[in-house]
Amino acid sequence: MNPDYDAIVVGAGPAGATAAALLAQAGWRIALIEKTPFPRRKVCGEFISATTWPLLRQLGVADSLLEIAGPVVRRVGLYSGDVMTSAALSPNALEQDGGRALGREHLDTLLLQRAAGLGADIRQPWTLSEIAANCGGYDCTIVDKGRAQTRHMRARLVIAAHGSWESGAMPSQSLRCAPRRDDLFGFKAHFVHCALPTDLMPLIAFPGGYGGMVHTDGGRVSLSCCIRRDQLALARQRLPRASAGPAVLAHVADSCKGVSSALHAATPQGEWLSAGPLRTGIRSFGNDGIFTIGNAAAEAHPIVAEGISMAIQSAYLLCERLVSRLDAHRHGAFSRDLLDSIRAEYAAAWHRNFSRRLHVAARSPTCS
Ligand SMILES: Cc1cc2nc3c(=O)[nH]c(=O)nc-3n(C[C@H](O)[C@H](O)[C@H](O)COP(=O)(O)OP(=O)(O)OC[C@H]3O[C@@H](n4cnc5c(N)ncnc54)[C@H](O)[C@@H]3O)c2cc1C
């Protein structure tokens, strides 16, 4: 095999852009494929937990991100019915840069630019449309749907960082499941002139779902939530002329005094976004020369607001192992045993770091 790249990374969310940056920094020839043009907004609460900032600093992007990020979150709260309560975060959670929110249109764009700056070959907006194992590597086909162009590329490894929502060519993208009443759909909107205290991130609990609010960049507040399919249908019946986002907001604000007070004089900025259904839990860590990271590997209920952190950390856990175990073999073939043993090490590290978070999130009363 004569590969064009050492690895092709599919998806340039926080997981994929981090992996591309780390491997390019280690001297690997990397292609990063992203189907959507950036900057783009995304269904996400945008909170970046305190534990993520040291990694962003190591990647060389923390200062640029902190310049535009929202204020430090010092208190968490609960808005449910008439209850509006809050508690100070422990000093640990406020160490160094603290936790802050930042629009995905900024975070993802800056991470992608960092990967490009470190030498990754960015293919955007290109979609991975086919992948086939061939002579110890992978033949990949990518398409630019807008310009009806197709390209072929070969790589020794493929890193699946395609997130949760898209079905596609990779084995980790076969997502079709029968609809269930308790499927959760994600919604998100930005607001300006919001009366939410700047240091507070309340959890919102409402019939059939949960969500959160937080001050993000540019004086905006992001409101994101997950709602069950059956409650979404009821909310839409109640406001048949409204589109889904405003119908969900009316449902949430009706039952949640904290939300209606915070948004009393607020104005929406930009479109409502939606995605789903969520498929939480552990999916797979890949097979042969394909490795999965971020949401492609596993997804926690967003109630813990840790998905970005897990995406970035999982890229670190995998790439550190790929570099240390494969660098010596970079010009020869990778045996299946070697790849399987790296995957086993990566999976064990992943479980040590994240399993507990996934289980705790799934047990929370608003998620089960
Ligand atoms: C309602 C809600 C609120 C949330 N709030 C928070 C929060 O406040 N804090 C937090 O940390 N996490 C939050 N999350 C979770 C967080 O958004 C995700 O965990 C995170 O985006 C996962 O990152 P990723 O890089 O794995 O995938 P993604 O960010 O989904 O990136 C995947 C990328 O792959 C691209 N792609 C897919 N298929 C292909 C293909 N075939 N070819 C090329 N490109 C492809 C997509 O276009 C996308 O850009 C929330 C999630 C939801 C649903």
Side-chain angles (χ1 to χ4, degrees):
M1 182 194 191
N2 183 19
D4 307 307
Y5 299 98
D6 295 312
I8 290 176
V9 181
V10 182
T18 300
L22 292 173
L23 294 176
Q25 193 168 35
W28 287 37
R29 293 167 305 153
I30 298 298
L32 176 57
I33 319 287
E34 170 55 52
K35 65 190 291 186
T36 316
F38 284 6
R40 57 103 175 81
R41 294 169 68 228
K42 198 164 168 57
V43 176
C44 179
E46 306 180 345
F47 179 70
I48 306 175
S49 57
T51 49
T52 322
W53 289 98
L55 297 178
L56 292 169
R57 194 160 287 290
Q58 234 172 288
L59 280 170
V61 291
D63 287 336
S64 327
L65 296 173
L66 285 168
E67 242 172 63
I68 49 174
V72 175
V73 171
R74 298 180 185 282
R75 291 182 295 146
V76 286
L78 175 67
Y79 287 175
S80 178
D82 288 342
V83 172
M84 294 165 66
T85 183
S86 72
L89 278 170
S90 80
N92 290 351
L94 296 173
E95 267 173 22
Q96 298 186 15
D97 300 306
R100 296 152 183 256
L102 177 63
R104 294 290 298 268
E105 55 273 47
H106 302 301
L107 173 69
D108 293 24
T109 305
L110 277 159
L111 281 172
L112 177 86
Q113 286 169 354
R114 182 64 180 145
L118 289 166
D121 180 9
I122 311 294
R123 300 298 183 96
Q124 187 183 33
W126 290 82
T127 303
L128 179 89
S129 63
E130 281 174 44
I131 175 167
N134 181 12
C135 298
Y138 292 90
D139 287 339
C140 295
T141 305
I142 59 171
V143 292
D144 176 343
K145 290 181 181 157
R147 286 180 295 173
Q149 290 182 357
T150 301
R151 296 275 183 279
H152 301 284
M153 42 177 62
R154 291 156 73 82
R156 294 155 67 78
L157 300 178
V158 174
I159 298 179
H162 46 65
S164 306
W165 312 117
E166 322 270 351
S167 50
M170 305 217 58
S172 41
Q173 285 184 299
S174 48
L175 303 172
R176 298 275 168 248
C177 292
R180 295 190 315 239
R181 287 174 48 220
D182 60 354
D183 280 338
L184 284 175
F185 289 85
F187 283 83
K188 177 257 192 65
H190 285 122
F191 294 88
V192 288
H193 310 305
C194 193
L196 183 74
T198 52
D199 64 342
L200 176 67
M201 182 165 73
L203 168 69
I204 303 164
F206 56 87
Y210 63 88
M213 293 173 88
V214 67
H215 277 267
T216 183
D217 55 87
R220 302 181 297 172
V221 162
S222 107
L223 184 154
S224 63
C225 64
C226 295
I227 181 167
R228 281 170 56 126
R229 187 188 287 276
D230 50 2
Q231 288 292 332
L232 174 60
L234 285 176
R236 297 207 66 178
Q237 274 170 24
R238 271 183 233 122
L239 280 185
R241 288 168 193 235
S243 52
V248 168
L249 179 61
H251 172 78
V252 175
D254 267 0
S255 64
C256 207
K257 188 173 160 197
V259 173
S260 55
S261 323
L263 296 182
H264 176 64
T267 323
Q269 201 180 62
E271 300 282 299
W272 274 89
L273 304 178
S274 62
L278 263 72
R279 297 282 176 237
T280 54
I282 297 175
R283 298 194 174 119
S284 134
F285 296 105
N287 61 330
D288 295 335
I290 301 180
F291 292 86
T292 54
I293 53 176
N295 275 21
E299 181 165 6
H301 272 281
I303 197 164
V304 287
E306 283 278 340
I308 296 170
S309 183
M310 286 168 57
I312 292 175
Q313 288 186 55
S314 65
Y316 265 88
L317 293 177
L318 174 64
C319 293
E320 283 166 358
R321 284 164 181 81
L322 290 178
V323 171
S324 70
R325 302 278 310 273
L326 293 183
D327 250 3
H329 304 265
R330 258 216 295 154
H331 303 293
F334 300 146
S335 73
R336 189 171 178 164
D337 284 353
L338 177 59
L339 295 174
D340 284 349
S341 105
I342 294 171
R343 186 177 352 274
E345 254 185 44
Y346 162 57
W350 192 100
H351 280 287
R352 274 197 303 280
N353 282 277
F354 306 128
S355 280
R356 202 176 143 78
R357 250 178 268 189
L358 241 70
H359 293 306
V360 169
R363 290 222 176 107
S364 116
T366 45
C367 301
S368 45

